[in-house]
Amino acid sequence: MTDTEVLRYTAFSGDPNGGNPAGVVLDASGLDDAAMLEIAAGLGYSETAFLTAPPEGLGGPEGRSFTARYFSPKAEVPFCGHATIATAVALGERIGPGELLLATPAGTVPVSVTAEDGRLRATLTSVEPHTEDIGDADLTEALAALDWPRADLDPAFPPRIAYAGARHLVLGAATRARLADLDYDFARLEALMHRLDLTTVQLVHRAGPAEFHVRDPFPVGGVVEDPATGAAAAAFGAYARELGLVPDEAELTLHQGADMGRPGVLTVELRAGDPRVRVGGTAVSIA
């Protein structure tokens, strides 16, 4: 394991001090699960991505298809958006822009890497998403753990669990001040999230027709908050379209991380006739 090259990138920002840091291991062929978890825990980032050879029959461009797995400091997760963006940019720097195909535990995820204004940008396409209701008792427990009165919820955003590779509870904040004031009961929220199999809680405030501010508590991953969450952005895009909050075809801008001092920008693209959600952003190596 001492010979394993572990790269460090931050995703959804062109500034090493912004966005969400991720570990990237482009060749994890010599690592077992315990070694991957040890590397992820040692880095301490919300997730680290590990690439190995693609499964037989995956298809995709030759030399540009891989198996991808994601580990938080505590456990493996089925999918991670920011680590996918970071990995795609790292690959793009080494093998050039173009199409990638990743076999993840959540399903097959295509990723496109393009060069824009001298910088690489990656866009992932989610697995097919869905949403589901959350029981009133579970919602009450989530709000209690967050210390949010029900009156602070935005009634235009019905609480739902949304999935686009991982499960996220979506809650709308009535004001930007409510979103900015995040001080929650870590253990209590973690216990609820484990019971509901949630990856993050996606807290959202609408700033405009296609512009949103978001925050993502992530206690199940061993960190208080995720600075930029691509999987949650994909889930939110599906949620917003399904509930008619945005058109069937739209490009949404999500601002995340500013309240943590790590601002980032996530672009969410919805296409009419395609249930999948595309999430894009830049990434940059952390020295």
Side-chain angles (χ1 to χ4, degrees):
M1 195 171 62
T2 56
D3 295 329
T4 300
E5 183 180 20
V6 182
L7 307 175
R8 295 164 174 80
Y9 277 72
T10 193
F12 299 114
S13 175
D15 181 351
N17 295 313
N20 195 355
V24 177
V25 178
L26 297 180
D27 181 7
S29 56
L31 303 177
D32 60 15
D33 290 11
M36 293 183 199
L37 182 60
E38 184 179 344
I39 288 172
L43 278 176
Y45 296 154
S46 55
E47 275 99 5
T48 297
F50 298 86
L51 296 188
T52 54
E56 187 174 350
L58 178 65
E62 186 175 353
R64 302 182 69 93
S65 299
F66 305 89
T67 296
R69 296 176 66 185
Y70 310 91
F71 284 79
S72 80
K74 283 191 171 183
E76 185 172 11
V77 297
F79 180 68
C80 173
H82 84 275
T84 296
I85 297 298
T87 299
V89 169
L91 283 169
E93 290 175 349
R94 288 155 178 80
I95 62 176
E99 302 304 310
L100 303 168
L101 194 61
L102 303 180
T104 80
T108 302
V109 175
V111 188
S112 178
V113 181
T114 57
E116 300 179 8
D117 300 323
R119 177 171 289 164
L120 292 182
R121 179 180 180 86
T123 301
L124 66 86
T125 299
S126 77
V127 298
E128 189 161 335
H130 64 263
T131 67
E132 62 188 69
D133 292 336
I134 180 171
D136 191 66
D138 289 332
L139 175 59
T140 296
E141 178 62 12
L143 294 175
L146 290 166
D147 196 21
W148 280 27
R150 286 194 183 231
D152 284 355
L153 293 177
D154 185 340
F157 288 77
R160 294 284 192 278
I161 294 172
Y163 171 88
R167 289 162 55 86
H168 307 267
L169 172 60
V170 180
L171 299 175
T175 65
R176 181 68 179 91
R178 170 71 279 176
L179 185 68
D181 184 15
L182 181 62
D183 183 15
Y184 70 93
D185 186 326
F186 188 97
R188 188 172 183 177
L189 188 61
E190 180 184 22
L192 175 68
M193 291 173 68
H194 277 302
R195 184 161 59 78
L196 298 179
D197 190 28
L198 300 176
T199 298
T200 75
V201 178
Q202 172 106 95
L203 307 173
V204 182
H205 173 67
R206 189 168 207 160
E211 188 173 8
F212 302 85
H213 295 278
V214 299
R215 300 185 74 173
D216 283 78
F218 188 36
V220 296
V223 296
V224 173
E225 183 177 356
D226 209 19
T229 318
F236 174 71
Y239 159 94
R241 177 171 55 190
E242 183 173 313
L243 292 174
L245 298 170
V246 298
D248 286 347
E249 185 142 347
E251 184 172 295
L252 314 178
T253 300
L254 275 57
H255 302 278
Q256 188 175 355
D259 295 305
M260 302 175 62
R262 295 195 65 92
V265 178
L266 303 86
T267 300
V268 176
E269 182 187 354
L270 305 173
R271 296 183 182 178
D274 186 349
R276 301 173 302 170
V277 181
R278 289 160 177 82
V279 176
T282 58
V284 64
S285 177
I286 302 171

